[in-house]
Amino acid sequence: MGKNYNPSRVKINRSYTVIEVSEILEVHPKTVRNWIHAGLPLVDEKRPLLIDGVDLRIHLKRKRKADMYPCKAHEMYCFKCREPKSPCVESLQFIAKPAGMAQMSGHCCECGCHANKYVSWRDVNQIWVELGGKLPIAEKHLILMGQALLNCPLAEVFDHE
Ligand SMILES: [Zn+2]
């Protein structure tokens, strides 16, 4: 189902609204919102949502690779190794994001390159255990950034926050 987006239409020195992205890449705005849910970063949390051109280009390239090499829940695509890799558990962090999402980041266990992706908070425990983490997930691996975590299975871990 590969539509060929043209990343060269994206200028790296400006930011875009969802509608602008949908126009230059000729995709539905809903597709762009799906990309945001899948990990395309936003400039900030303000409205209208703005996407940095650099991030968009990276995302399009990453998406192409990810379509070729699907990652397991606990894996992230490493750009140096050029395949899905597990991050080493010591480097693993989960950063709270809106809508029940968390940004997972860490260093590739093979080459040490930094990688990240978005996951659901629902899956954080399982990812943590699969990577050899011991429960409860250590505080140093969680960054909350002032977000209220709704329906979070780990809520008891940050009761004292
Ligand atoms: Zn690597």
Side-chain angles (χ1 to χ4, degrees):
M1 300 293 287
K3 179 172 164 66
N4 264 335
Y5 310 111
N6 187 354
S8 63
R9 285 186 177 178
V10 179
K11 294 189 170 55
I12 57 171
N13 56 354
R14 60 158 293 188
S15 50
Y16 296 89
T17 64
V18 169
I19 298 299
E20 285 170 337
V21 172
S22 79
E23 281 167 359
I24 58 168
L25 296 177
E26 296 170 359
V27 296
H28 198 277
K30 200 177 163 195
T31 302
V32 181
R33 285 187 208 104
N34 286 341
W35 292 347
I36 293 168
H37 279 289
L40 173 61
L42 295 168
V43 172
D44 56 33
E45 307 288 342
K46 295 194 192 94
R47 305 271 165 170
L49 302 176
L50 285 176
I51 298 144
D52 195 296
V54 176
D55 291 333
L56 182 54
R57 275 209 192 183
I58 290 169
H59 186 79
L60 292 174
K61 282 186 195 161
R62 183 175 300 191
K63 194 175 144 36
R64 192 177 296 165
K65 296 276 188 183
D67 289 346
M68 288 159 63
Y69 308 97
C71 291
K72 298 195 183 81
H74 63 279
E75 290 177 331
M76 298 190 285
Y77 186 82
C78 174
F79 287 96
K80 197 162 171 197
C81 298
R82 295 171 185 271
E83 57 185 79
K85 290 286 179 189
S86 298
C88 73
V89 71
E90 293 76 23
S91 70
L92 195 60
Q93 282 189 329
F94 294 99
I95 301 170
K97 296 288 177 181
M101 301 300 287
Q103 184 184 15
M104 170 179 170
S105 74
H107 298 284
C108 169
C109 62
E110 300 262 329
C111 72
C113 263
H114 188 261
N116 66 72
K117 71 169 183 181
Y118 271 47
V119 297
S120 167
W121 271 110
R122 222 177 300 132
D123 301 328
V124 164
N125 260 329
Q126 195 197 338
I127 291 167
W128 178 246
V129 171
E130 272 172 13
L131 290 171
K134 295 188 176 37
L135 288 173
I137 187 168
E139 261 178 90
K140 66 172 178 173
H141 298 287
L142 297 167
I143 301 176
L144 299 179
M145 302 185 77
Q147 302 286 346
L149 291 169
L150 301 173
N151 305 320
C152 174
L154 296 171
E156 62 277 8
V157 177
F158 10 93
D159 264 347
H160 54 283
E161 285 283 334

